[in-house]
Amino acid sequence: MTATFSFDLKATDGKARTGVINTPRGDIRTPAFMPVGTAATVKAMMPESVAATGADILLGNTYHLMLRPTAERIDRLGGLHQFMNWDKPILTDSGGFQVMSLSDLRKLTEEGVTFKSHIDGSRHHLTPERSMEIQKLLGSDIVMCFDECPALPADRKRIQESMELSMRWAQRSRDAFGDRPGHALFGIQQGGLEEDLRGRSAEALRAIEFDGYAVGGLAVGEGQEAMFKVLDFAPDQLPVDKPRYLMGVGKPDDIVGAVKRGIDMMDCVLPSRSGRTGQAFTRRGVVNIKNARHADDPRPLDAECTCPACSNYSRAYLHHVFRAQEMISGMLLTWHNLHYFQEIMAGMRTAIAAGAFADWEADFHAGRAKGDI
Ligand SMILES: CNc1nc2cc3c(=O)[nH]c(N)nc3c(CCN)c2[nH]1
């Protein structure tokens, strides 16, 4: 915990890195996974449970909170940390991605985006300046630039124009963010799958200067192979001494592959969303607990897991409460998945510090069955 924001690289192993991001609200051990707390809650979890899984930071969303309950109301109530009872760091996304993926009737101009709320149809306007104002009102510790993330596949011209717009918006975000000691502003690299466009984007962001750099524009349907091909060059285009955040990723093997390629932070709804649907991630693969084969199984999801779901309940019980649509079902499986994702991060941090990432990765992949186990 420090009065300012800084990144301390502790060790590297190949391209993989481990370190600590120091912020006034607490330290973030990297590589870090951020649970998604979109509407001021990590769904089905109490904040103290999220902390118990090992999460040092969680993600909030400008788009959702500006629509409901509004950033101004959260500010009047003391800010997002107090509002949701989470006193560790929060990173907030800037809204552009969610507008494009959630709202209707969108109009995109140089100025920003105009859209209709997916909640009540009311019209809203987001610009780099307004996004910075909202994230300041929320009190988030790590603010994301307002950007545009083009849907893939898209032709090179569209990708280039979109990236260039995002770079102009990055400058406007920087100018509007101002000087806020202890708070960080992260730039977001765009450029689709194109190495030269991503290089130009990285250069533009370096010139503006940010406290961290995100690899945006991925996990939008390109598939793991194409994503890893981009990650084979994109992190190296970004400053080596600042955190690198891959947005919206991912499945356990996506996460391991991204850290292997130099990524320090990630966020994804997968562990929480799939936890609510009965999909459990374990070190031996995925368990779809609603499958009838678990109805009489007295074993835990994962005998080696120390989370409350695996310590105190059988597969048969979890199967039952999912079939009965009991609320505890989503709570237990979300807790398990977030716990497991944090175990993967902790395992990689230790392995990288010991120069043993390759062995850890081999062990991670060994014994992972395909399909339901
Ligand atoms: C699930 N896949 C995914 N790809 C993303 C790209 C961006 C992206 O390029 N920009 C921003 N601002 N957010 C993104 C997000 C949201 C992250 N919580 C993404 N999510």
Side-chain angles (χ1 to χ4, degrees):
M1 178 128 33
T2 60
T4 56
F5 181 94
S6 61
F7 181 43
D8 206 4
L9 254 185
K10 301 279 187 197
T12 58
D13 184 348
K15 285 189 169 185
R17 303 129 57 96
T18 184
V20 178
I21 300 173
N22 302 292
T23 84
R25 281 205 170 86
D27 296 344
I28 303 156
R29 296 163 290 178
T30 66
F33 178 81
M34 298 184 280
V36 175
T38 286
T41 159
V42 177
K43 291 179 171 48
M45 295 287 286
M46 298 288 283
E48 45 271 39
S49 308
V50 176
T53 65
D56 292 334
I57 178 172
L58 60 77
L59 181 137
N61 272 312
T62 291
Y63 172 81
H64 297 78
L65 295 172
M66 72 182 278
L67 297 180
R68 183 174 56 187
T70 77
E72 284 72 13
R73 174 169 285 129
I74 291 178
D75 177 48
R76 286 197 301 272
L77 292 162
L80 185 56
H81 293 81
Q82 186 169 335
F83 190 56
M84 70 180 289
N85 187 30
W86 173 264
D87 64 1
K88 296 171 185 278
I90 294 176
L91 178 149
T92 45
D93 200 358
S94 49
F97 180 84
Q98 290 78 26
V99 167
M100 304 316 269
S101 54
L102 285 171
S103 68
D104 321 316
L105 211 76
R106 301 178 300 264
K107 188 160 157 287
L108 175 69
T109 66
E110 180 69 31
E111 178 63 14
V113 287
T114 303
F115 61 95
K116 281 177 72 173
S117 161
H118 72 288
I119 297 171
D120 62 11
S122 55
R123 288 172 60 78
H124 296 265
H125 194 52
L126 254 184
T127 64
E129 293 76 16
R130 176 64 178 144
S131 177
M132 294 302 109
E133 182 185 31
I134 289 171
Q135 296 180 75
K136 184 173 184 176
L137 287 167
L138 296 175
S140 79
D141 304 283
I142 301 178
V143 169
M144 299 308 294
C145 277
F146 188 68
D147 66 329
E148 203 239 336
C149 170
L152 293 184
D155 63 30
R156 181 180 159 86
K157 184 170 177 296
R158 163 88 180 98
I159 298 283
Q160 178 168 344
E161 286 170 355
S162 172
M163 180 273 284
E164 289 166 350
L165 174 64
S166 286
M167 294 306 102
R168 294 193 293 275
W169 283 358
Q171 182 65 64
R172 286 170 55 189
S173 298
R174 172 91 267 173
D175 296 344
F177 179 79
D179 180 23
R180 299 180 61 211
H183 296 82
L185 178 65
F186 278 22
I188 305 176
Q189 182 198 46
Q190 293 293 349
L193 309 180
E194 314 287 326
E195 182 164 2
D196 62 335
L197 296 182
R198 284 198 172 266
R200 271 194 247 158
S201 177
E203 285 317 305
L205 295 176
R206 277 175 189 273
I208 300 170
E209 276 192 44
F210 290 101
D211 304 300
Y213 296 81
V215 178
L218 292 177
V220 286
E222 74 281 359
Q224 186 184 79
E225 189 183 346
M227 181 176 80
F228 281 172
K229 269 174 74 176
V230 173
L231 293 177
D232 283 336
F233 63 76
D236 296 328
Q237 297 173 322
L238 302 172
V240 67
D241 60 340
K242 301 288 184 196
R244 298 155 174 173
Y245 162 28
L246 175 59
M247 304 188 86
V249 173
K251 299 191 307 298
D253 51 339
D254 295 332
I255 288 172
V256 172
V259 168
K260 181 179 182 175
R261 292 167 173 80
I263 293 295
D264 304 306
M265 303 163 73
M266 280 159 281
D267 83 279
C268 192
V269 295
L270 185 65
S272 35
R273 181 175 294 169
S274 57
R276 295 195 303 280
T277 66
Q279 187 173 57
F281 292 91
T282 78
R283 67 203 73 233
R284 291 184 46 248
V286 173
V287 177
N288 291 305
I289 201 62
K290 288 185 197 169
N291 189 309
R293 59 207 283 282
H294 303 297
D296 293 297
D297 193 333
R299 296 174 307 159
L301 270 182
D302 179 344
E304 296 172 61
C305 180
T306 59
C307 85
C310 294
S311 306
N312 307 316
Y313 302 92
S314 63
R315 288 179 180 214
Y317 177 77
L318 294 170
H319 175 79
H320 158 68
V321 290
F322 263 98
R323 284 299 178 99
Q325 298 186 312
E326 287 295 336
M327 283 186 243
I328 193 171
S329 59
M331 292 163 68
L332 287 172
L333 234 53
T334 300
W335 193 324
H336 166 79
N337 282 346
L338 290 177
H339 176 100
Y340 175 57
F341 272 53
Q342 293 301 339
E343 278 217 332
I344 292 170
M345 307 317 289
M348 289 195 286
R349 293 194 293 262
T350 303
I352 296 164
F357 182 80
D359 294 345
W360 183 92
E361 186 193 14
D363 180 60
F364 170 82
H365 286 295
R368 288 182 78 75
K370 295 280 170 266
D372 190 46
I373 55 169

